[in-house]
C-alpha cells in the first residue's frame, strides 16, 4: 500500500506517473533501467492492461526487458524499431542544463544508444539528484575486459589535464568478481568530485583505447520530471525553457501500489 512506501519511493512513483502522460498510442518507447525507471515500466504496463494502450517498448537492459514483458508491454529491439518517439529513464545526477551522469545501474551503453535514437528523452528523478556541478556521483565508464588495467591507467593519466577535482578510479565489482555488463564488458567508476567541463571530458574519455562509452549524457535530455514525497511534480523542459508544477494523488487503492507491495 502507498502508506508503506518510503518518501523516496513516493517521489519516484509520482515522477514516473507524470512521465507516462507523454506516451501515446502507437509510440515506440525507450524503457530505461534502474529503480525509478522500474516504476515507469509498471505504470506503462498498467496503462496497457487497463486502458488498452498500444505501444512497443525498447528496453535498455535485460532486467528491464524481463519486467516489461512481465507487466504486458510488447518488447522489440532497437533494430526493429529503428527510431523511437520517446525514451524515459532515470539519472544518477543532473545539472541546470539537464546534463546527466548515468550508469549507476550498469546499463549506460544501451541507455545512451537508445536515448540518442529518440525524438525526446525524458528523465524521471527526485530532487536529491540535482547538483550545481556534475561529479559528486562516481562517473561510470564501460571498458572492454582485455587490458582493463592499462585502460584504467590511461584514463587516470588523461584526467590530469581535465578540469576535475579527483582522478581515482575503481573497478566495479559484483561480489568477488568484476561486474559484467549486458555486452560482456567491465565498468570503471571515476571518483572525480567535480566535473568542470562535461562535454570536453565526454569527448576525451571516448578517445582512450579500451573505453567503449562513458556515463556523461550531454545535450541528450530534453525534459526532467522531479517527483516529491508529497505528490508534487515539477516538469522542466530545456527546449521550451519552461517549468511547470503539478500535484498527483496516490491512493492506497491504487492497483500499482498493490502490485508493488504484494
Amino acid at each position: 500500500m502507498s502508506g508503506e512506501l518510503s518518501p523516496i519511493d513516493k517521489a519516484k512513483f509520482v515522477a514516473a506517473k507524470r512521465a507516462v502522460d507523454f506516451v501515446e498510442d502507437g509510440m515506440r518507447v525507450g524503457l530505461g533501467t534502474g529503480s525509478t525507471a522500474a516504476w515507469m515500466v509498471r505504470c506503462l504496463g498498467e496503462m496497457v492492461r487497463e486502458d488498452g494502450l498500444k505501444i512497443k517498448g525498447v528496453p535498455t537492459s535485460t532486467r528491464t526487458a524481463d519486467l516489461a514483458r512481465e507487466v504486458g508491454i510488447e518488447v522489440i529491439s532497437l533494430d526493429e524499431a529503428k527510431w523511437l518517439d520517446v525514451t524515459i529513464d532515470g539519472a544518477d545526477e543532473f545539472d541546470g542544463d539537464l546534463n546527466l551522469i548515468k550508469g549507476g545501474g550498469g546499463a549506460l551503453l544501451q541507455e545512451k544508444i537508445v536515448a540518442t535514437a529518440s525524438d525526446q528523452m525524458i528523465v524521471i528523478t527526485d530532487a536529491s539528484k540535482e547538483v550545481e556541478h556534475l561529479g559528486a556521483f562516481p562517473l561510470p565508464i564501460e571498458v572492454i575486459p582485455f587490458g582493463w588495467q592499462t585502460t584504467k591507467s590511461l584514463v587516470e593519466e588523461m584526467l590530469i589535464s581535465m578540469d576535475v577535482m579527483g582522478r581515482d578510479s575503481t573497478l566495479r565489482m559484483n561480489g568477488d568478481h568484476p561486474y559484467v555488463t549486458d555486452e560482456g564488458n567491465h565498468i570503471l567508476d571515476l571518483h572525480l568530485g567535480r566535473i568542470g567541463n562535461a562535454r570536453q571530458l565526454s569527448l576525451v574519455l571516448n578517445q582512450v583505447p579500451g573505453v567503449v562509452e562513458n556515463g556523461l549524457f550531454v545535450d541528450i535530455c530534453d525534459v526532467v520530471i522531479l517527483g516529491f514525497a508529497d505528490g508534487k511534480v515539477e516538469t522542466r523542459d530545456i527546449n521550451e525553457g519552461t517549468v511547470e508544477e503539478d500535484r498527483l494523488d496516490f491512493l492506497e487503492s491504487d492497483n500499482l501500489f498493490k502490485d508493488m507491495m504484494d
Side-chain angles (χ1 to χ4, degrees), residues 31 41 59 61-73 75:
L31 306 174
V41 173
S61 67
T62 54
R63 59 186 180 276
T64 295
D66 291 342
L67 177 60
R69 292 189 182 98
E70 178 186 321
V71 299
I73 298 172
V75 171

Side-chain angles (χ1 to χ4, degrees), residues 86-248:
V86 64
T87 287
I88 306 175
D89 204 347
D92 298 302
E93 278 187 349
F94 73 96
D95 65 15
D97 295 321
L98 305 196
N99 295 317
L100 321 170
I101 285 182
K102 288 181 53 56
L108 66 97
L109 178 56
Q110 288 191 22
E111 287 174 335
K112 188 175 280 191
I113 292 171
V114 168
T116 54
S118 305
D119 287 337
Q120 186 178 42
M121 182 191 189
I122 298 172
V123 163
I124 47 178
T125 184
D126 62 87
S128 69
K129 304 297 177 63
E130 184 173 11
V131 295
E132 185 175 353
H133 298 284
L134 298 177
F137 189 90
L139 173 65
I141 61 173
E142 188 157 337
V143 301
I144 66 170
F146 175 80
W148 71 265
Q149 294 187 60
T150 298
T151 302
K152 179 177 181 292
S153 297
L154 289 171
V155 167
E156 290 176 348
E157 182 179 358
M158 175 274 296
L159 289 172
I160 295 173
S161 62
M162 293 291 102
D163 184 8
V164 296
M165 286 182 62
R167 299 195 304 271
D168 291 337
S169 64
T170 55
L171 179 68
R172 187 176 298 184
M173 302 296 289
N174 183 13
D176 295 331
H177 303 282
Y179 179 87
V180 178
T181 69
D182 281 354
E183 290 75 33
N185 297 318
H186 295 332
I187 287 183
L188 294 176
D189 289 306
L190 310 186
H191 304 274
L192 306 178
R194 178 185 179 278
I195 299 171
N197 188 330
R199 180 176 288 101
Q200 179 191 45
L201 180 60
S202 179
L203 291 171
V204 174
L205 276 170
N206 283 6
Q207 299 304 310
V208 176
V211 174
V212 181
E213 190 51 85
N214 69 82
L216 286 167
F217 283 52
V218 179
D219 296 333
I220 296 175
C221 175
D222 299 287
V223 175
V224 163
I225 299 177
L226 286 171
F228 298 84
D230 63 356
K232 187 179 82 170
V233 180
E234 183 177 293
T235 303
R236 303 181 190 177
D237 189 316
I238 193 72
N239 299 313
E240 299 294 331
T242 58
V243 178
E244 297 180 0
E245 289 191 3
D246 195 4
R247 188 171 296 275
L248 300 181

Side-chain angles (χ1 to χ4, degrees), residues 24-71:
E24 300 175 359
D25 242 16
M27 279 189 170
R28 294 157 296 180
V29 183
L31 306 174
T33 294
S35 60
T36 311
W39 282 106
M40 174 271 301
V41 173
R42 290 184 176 275
C43 286
L44 283 176
E46 185 179 43
M47 293 167 68
V48 168
R49 297 190 308 272
E50 299 190 7
D51 303 329
L53 179 70
K54 293 179 174 58
I55 60 170
K56 295 182 178 180
V58 175
T60 54
S61 67
T62 54
R63 59 186 180 276
T64 295
D66 291 342
L67 177 60
R69 292 189 182 98
E70 178 186 321
V71 299

